[in-house]
Amino acid sequence: MKVARKTVFTPALLVAALAFSFFLTALLAPVSDAQKSKELGPPPPVPRYKPKPTPTPAPTPEPEYEVVRITSNLVMVPVSVTDASGNAVLRLTQKDFHIEENGRPQEITQIGDPEHVPLDIALLIDVSASVVARFDFEQQAAAAFLKQVLKPEDRATVLAIDQTPRMIQQFAPASVAAQSVMNVTAAKGYTAFYDSVLMAAKYLDESSPTGRRRIVVVISDGDDTARIVDASALTTATPPPSPGSQPTPDGRSRLIGMEAQLQVNQQGLLETQNEVQRSEITFYSINPSGESLKLNARASRAELGLERLANATGGAAFVPRDESGLPVIFNRIASEIRSQYLLQYYSNNEAAGRAFRRIAVTTPARPELRVRSREGYYPKAK
């Protein structure tokens, strides 16, 4: 019986021993790992390196250039070419023209297209007593002209030739400028012709930038009476009146004599001519007096003054037979403005100063054509 007991309990003891051994192993293993971790300590921090600053490269010295200043004088000359009947001649080329400045040939570099060069037009309408009878018709013709000739990029200013110059409308598109013309009222005073043209020239010179064509169109007989009255007023305190003097309509003073009147007008014409040339203006005039101006010496002299201004600037002076001819003349001016040749050259004149330089334009291969251009120009300050 004793032997049987041993056989039964021995395996049980073995199993219990093995279980106890496994329990001790499991219990002691974490402690051992923890002890090992404690012994090793935390891992050392990752070393941080400061990047060395990249040295700034020394600036590369800029190459030294020699500064060369070139001053050039580009001259643009509007030129009108017509045949014997006064019709515009088109399709001429650069080789057809010859330009001289102060007698020296110039090389034409380009012919500009007038359709691509915008216009600045000053329209001057006489409102004085000398034209009051035809005033309404002149207004209508002038307003129609502006609508016809001006494109969206063009501008017009309107001035009244009165006892003193009057600015009616500053630069504006066609519709606005045309309406301003229709709003002008006639007057019965003297005619400040020269001062009105001078005002227009100054306005164009100051307000029209380079690269635009400057045109003045005047509807007037050109007879300046305001300056004569002013000169007469200055002499009334010196008795007796000069020979040939006449009382003014108001009877308060006596007009200076005919010789003195001629001197006043000649001085005004010369001053006006210089200014329109200096401002690079092309001058056109329409004298509504018609053929009757030939019956009066003073009216004839006034018309000669209008022609002088036109010739000096490459424009034209027109005298319609009667008021019905105004629209035809306006159409002709509009056609001419749109068909001008714009010759351009760089002047080879090295002379210093701003003295007037004369220009001569010809068509050597076609001498029968009539060529109109400005007589010259004043060089701009360099």
Side-chain angles (χ1 to χ4, degrees):
M1 294 298 291
K2 287 179 182 179
V3 174
R5 285 178 185 171
K6 280 182 184 179
T7 304
V8 173
F9 291 104
T10 299
L13 288 172
L14 182 60
V15 171
L18 288 172
F20 182 75
S21 174
F22 282 121
F23 172 76
L24 287 177
T25 303
L27 183 65
L28 294 175
V31 174
S32 176
D33 289 344
Q35 285 176 347
K36 283 181 183 176
S37 296
K38 253 184 179 179
E39 290 171 5
L40 292 174
V46 179
R48 296 182 180 180
Y49 298 98
K50 276 189 177 181
K52 292 184 179 180
T54 306
T56 304
T60 306
E62 294 185 4
E64 296 182 1
Y65 296 103
E66 181 183 358
V67 178
V68 180
R69 299 187 184 277
I70 301 177
T71 56
S72 60
N73 189 10
L74 176 64
V75 184
M76 187 168 69
V77 187
V79 178
S80 299
V81 184
T82 56
D83 57 20
S85 301
N87 300 315
V89 177
L90 305 177
R91 292 183 291 278
L92 295 179
T93 67
Q94 188 170 317
K95 296 180 180 179
D96 292 317
F97 293 95
H98 176 75
I99 292 185
E100 292 185 359
E101 182 182 301
N102 285 351
R104 298 180 60 181
Q106 305 292 319
E107 181 182 355
I108 301 173
T109 58
Q110 187 179 358
I111 294 184
D113 184 353
E115 292 296 327
H116 297 155
V117 181
L119 292 173
D120 281 340
I121 295 181
L123 178 67
L124 284 67
I125 185 165
D126 198 331
V127 300
S128 64
S130 60
V131 296
V132 68
R134 301 171 295 273
F135 185 73
D136 291 343
F137 193 81
E138 292 170 14
Q139 270 185 310
Q140 297 171 9
F145 164 74
L146 291 180
K147 292 179 179 179
Q148 173 191 357
V149 74
L150 293 183
K151 293 187 174 183
E153 64 273 18
D154 301 332
R155 305 178 299 178
T157 178
V158 181
L159 294 90
I161 304 175
D162 204 344
Q163 261 181 233
T164 57
R166 285 194 288 126
M167 172 70 74
I168 303 299
Q169 174 67 60
Q170 296 187 347
F171 276 139
S175 58
V176 177
Q179 185 58 49
S180 297
V181 172
M182 297 305 298
N183 292 338
V184 178
T185 55
K188 295 183 180 180
Y190 302 117
T191 309
F193 174 77
Y194 296 129
D195 288 339
S196 298
V197 177
L198 290 172
M199 175 184 276
K202 182 180 180 182
Y203 181 75
L204 288 174
D205 193 39
E206 294 176 349
S207 306
S208 178
T210 303
R212 301 179 71 91
R213 282 187 292 163
R214 301 171 179 177
I215 310 289
V216 166
V217 179
V218 172
I219 309 172
S220 175
D221 57 10
D223 186 15
D224 192 304
T225 55
R227 288 199 176 195
I228 294 175
V229 171
D230 289 343
S232 300
L234 294 175
T235 61
T236 52
T238 307
S242 58
S245 64
Q246 302 172 356
T248 58
D250 56 18
R252 289 180 296 178
S253 62
R254 289 179 175 273
L255 292 179
I256 54 178
M258 289 303 300
E259 186 176 345
Q261 290 184 30
L262 287 175
Q263 291 177 355
V264 169
N265 272 293
Q266 287 299 317
Q267 182 179 356
L269 177 60
L270 181 61
E271 179 187 356
T272 304
Q273 176 181 321
N274 289 340
E275 287 306 313
V276 293
Q277 288 179 318
R278 197 182 309 279
S279 301
E280 299 183 353
I281 287 169
T282 305
F283 181 92
Y284 291 90
S285 68
I286 303 175
N287 189 340
S289 299
E291 296 295 323
S292 64
L293 66 87
K294 297 178 181 179
L295 304 176
N296 185 302
R298 180 167 157 179
S300 296
R301 282 193 296 268
E303 172 57 26
L304 289 176
L306 295 174
E307 294 174 5
R308 182 74 199 99
L309 293 174
N311 293 335
T313 61
F318 298 95
V319 182
R321 291 184 179 180
D322 51 46
E323 63 181 21
S324 63
L326 280 176
V328 175
I329 290 175
F330 272 123
N331 289 339
R332 183 170 172 182
I333 294 175
S335 175
E336 182 171 304
I337 289 173
R338 289 301 178 190
S339 62
Q340 286 178 323
Y341 296 92
L342 303 177
L343 306 185
Q344 301 176 41
Y345 71 93
Y346 288 93
S347 173
N348 58 22
N349 190 337
E350 299 295 335
R354 301 184 64 185
F356 187 74
R357 298 179 179 182
R358 292 199 167 274
I359 295 174
V361 183
T362 56
T363 52
R366 302 187 63 179
E368 77 280 4
L369 299 181
R370 185 188 178 195
V371 180
R372 294 201 324 272
S373 67
R374 53 182 170 148
E375 291 181 342
Y377 71 100
Y378 289 93
K380 303 294 185 183
K382 294 182 180 180

